Amino acid sequence: MGRGRAGVAGTARWVAVVLVLAATSACLPPRVGGGLLPGAGSGGSGGSSGASPRTPAPAPQTCPQPRAGEEFRRVEPEQAALDRRAVVDALTYGTARGAQSLRVYRGHCLVGTSGNDPSTEWTPLPAWSMTKGVVSLLVGRAVTLGHLSVDDPIGEHLDGLSPAHAAITVRHLLTQTSGLRFAWANDLNAAALLDSVARVLERPFEAEPGTTYVYAQVAVTVLVAVVEAATGEDLQEFAQRELFGPIGIPRTDWRWARDGAGRSHGFAFLDMAPRSFGRIGSLLLAEGRWRGRTLVDPAYVRAAATGTEANPAYGFLWWDNSAERMITAGFPAQEVLERRWLPAVPEDAFGLTGMFDQLLVVIPSLDMVVLRMGLPHELFGDPLGEVQMRRPRWDHRFFRLLLGGLTDQHLPDPGDWVPDPDLPEPDWFHLVGTGF
């Protein structure tokens, strides 16, 4: 019980610290290529970085994935077929919008980082709901090792369930279509104080499993219990030996809080150093391979990055950028939006997101990974100005600046940020539940 509360309290202390850092370090220049580049420009609202017309550049350089104990090889933006000014402007803009770590990789090379990264890249920062995406990777590793299948009913691994609950499959939990009744207040209370898996598997159904997307929280922790039962060991031990260790993430670079029963939370409360989270992005870019070794079956990675009929923009706890329609994560209410997840990014992108704008984006067509960890962008003014008296989402203008600097290919200008419709009224049915 204490460990669950300690994880929440520790995260609250971290937020207080970075609020101070945000006020004192947002003006630090980014680091691109081999060193700092002072005098970063403010950029512009267009897709161009402001540089003079460019001739087509050679193919971007690629780097080997680093061994344990090594860092990603740094290259100059020009070696990665990116305009230097565009990289600097994008990183400067992203930092001004609350990023405590912002890292751009191309071809498994590190092209640039925010000015805050020298102080934060080695510090475990809250991943929030990107934790869900890591749980999906661990399910994928267990599937690859033959411990379970995504279509296994969870009753094959967990005892004492009713027939209806036992019939929920691993796939249902990965796609947030378990059908179980969900309410935010109930989930967070169960996570902090109780055996959250036991509580969630006592809940009634609000939909037939596999039919309806509801962005739940503690239901993801059921996947933790399934992996532990299938592998016969604690999830964190399995993670370090089978996934984190093989890609060079040291045990000192992460911590993971537990619920009242001592089980790792599945929906949040993994903290990880940005330099190590970047390795997860590199693993995903390589479709589950690390230095020639397959850790997660590429077929699982592709399936996880593909939306479902229930939510075309959501796969196995990862987001899919190819769909023109999406259902949001949903607080205080889920929304149906007639747009792609990240409109300024190519359609083949996929990734992980978390509260307060945590973001890991993988763009296979550009051989690119971008990681952002930090504070919510809404707390910070936009140096490029507001749109309709609203502060634009940080990611749209960041990617417009960054990808406008590609020199080996040309992407259509996505235009400036367009506000989504106003938030709907709170969905009280999924905010507070009674009787369970």
Side-chain angles (χ1 to χ4, degrees), residues 47-118:
S48 170
S49 65
S52 58
R54 299 183 291 267
T55 57
Q61 181 174 326
T62 60
C63 301
Q65 292 169 308
R67 295 182 175 87
E70 296 179 343
E71 298 298 331
F72 282 90
R73 182 180 300 173
R74 280 187 175 268
V75 300
E76 302 296 333
E78 296 81 1
Q79 294 173 286
L82 283 163
D83 178 77
R84 176 176 292 264
R85 178 56 56 182
V87 174
V88 170
D89 286 350
L91 290 169
T92 301
Y93 173 82
T95 304
R97 299 302 306 278
Q100 291 302 303
S101 175
L102 186 54
R103 305 168 74 83
V104 177
Y105 304 82
R106 196 170 192 202
H108 305 285
C109 309
L110 183 57
V111 181
T113 57
S114 77
N116 291 328
D117 272 87

Side-chain angles (χ1 to χ4, degrees), residues 250-276:
R251 187 62 183 86
T252 53
D253 267 16
W254 61 277
R255 54 179 175 256
W256 201 331
R258 300 173 184 266
D259 71 3
R263 181 177 290 109
S264 302
H265 292 293
F267 67 98
F269 303 119
L270 168 65
D271 301 346
M272 184 173 284
R275 66 180 184 182
S276 285

